[in-house]
Amino acid sequence: MKTLIVCYSWHNGNTKRIAEMIHRKTGYDFCTIETVKPYPAEYRKASDQGKKETETGFKPEIKKLPYDIDAYERIIVGTPTWWYTMAPAVLSFLDAHDFTGKTVVPFMTNAGWPGTVIKDMCAHAKGARIEHPKEILFDSDGGNQLITSEEEINAWIESLDC
Ligand SMILES: Cc1cc2nc3c(=O)[nH]c(=O)nc-3n(C[C@H](O)[C@H](O)[C@H](O)COP(=O)(O)O)c2cc1C
């Protein structure tokens, strides 16, 4: 199945790290979602802004992807957890596309408070068939230590290559 990996990553690149693991193992095309206006580099400021945006369902403007998603049958979409839901940039991406006839594989990284990220991603992947959703845990300090085992992540990646 022709597959594209798309993710947004801000804080530590945790989500991008998982996307790169998938890319290395499968060779699927891979790109990141970038906002036109970058978030503040300072954690507290980004966190406060993220709180307001997730509460209001704000969709930041995102840059055009280097790949045309219409050319793919399956899109693997990754997001960090922001205030118990997906990052606003991923909401912008999902709401900008119609996934009818496509499969979406949602994955997320979190620090122990996963909220409703996967459920919310599924609700916004309009028309998609959802397969192999995955939650991946990093340390509870919001750092870059992977808690979910690499073995578990690799098994999930292998299950995608069907
Ligand atoms: C604005 C913001 C809000 C966050 N909210 C949550 C949360 O609600 N639950 C949680 O488990 N982690 C939360 N985190 C932690 C991140 O989801 C986690 O560290 C993630 O792996 C970071 O991925 P990234 O490095 O790809 O951005 C938040 C981080 C930020 C920056």
Side-chain angles (χ1 to χ4, degrees):
M1 215 188 294
K2 196 168 179 213
T3 304
L4 176 66
I5 310 161
V6 179
C7 82
Y8 174 75
S9 221
W10 175 75
H11 186 34
N12 292 310
N14 291 350
T15 314
K16 190 173 174 200
R17 176 170 155 199
I18 303 300
E20 283 170 345
M21 284 173 75
I22 307 168
H23 173 65
R24 270 198 305 277
K25 265 192 166 280
T26 61
Y28 297 148
D29 291 338
F30 165 51
C31 63
T32 55
I33 298 167
E34 309 284 343
T35 54
V36 170
K37 196 172 164 217
Y39 283 91
E42 204 233 307
Y43 179 81
R44 178 53 54 201
K45 283 188 185 154
S47 180
D48 289 350
Q49 186 177 331
K51 186 166 193 290
K52 282 190 203 116
E53 292 186 359
T54 51
E55 277 171 1
T56 57
F58 178 75
K59 289 183 264 186
E61 194 182 342
I62 55 174
K63 294 182 186 168
K64 194 176 182 309
L65 296 184
Y67 295 102
D68 175 10
I69 81 142
D70 288 342
Y72 295 85
E73 299 164 86
R74 182 169 62 167
I75 323 287
I76 301 172
V77 185
T79 183
T81 304
W82 274 28
W83 293 99
Y84 316 106
T85 187
M86 74 190 99
V90 177
L91 181 64
S92 299
F93 167 74
L94 289 177
D95 279 0
H97 296 282
D98 183 350
F99 296 94
T100 302
K102 298 184 191 300
T103 299
V104 166
V105 176
F107 80 90
M108 59 83 117
T109 66
N110 72 99
W113 297 272
T116 54
V117 178
I118 294 290
K119 187 168 161 265
D120 298 343
M121 290 175 85
C122 294
H124 285 271
K126 208 171 34 229
R129 185 176 55 223
I130 305 292
E131 280 181 3
H132 303 287
K134 185 74 183 161
E135 296 187 355
I136 294 161
L137 182 61
F138 280 81
D139 65 86
S140 60
D141 296 329
N144 59 5
Q145 193 194 335
L146 186 55
I147 305 295
T148 301
S149 72
E150 292 212 13
E151 198 180 31
E152 182 181 325
I153 295 166
N154 285 331
W156 170 65
I157 296 171
E158 276 159 29
S159 78
L160 302 178
D161 208 8
C162 42

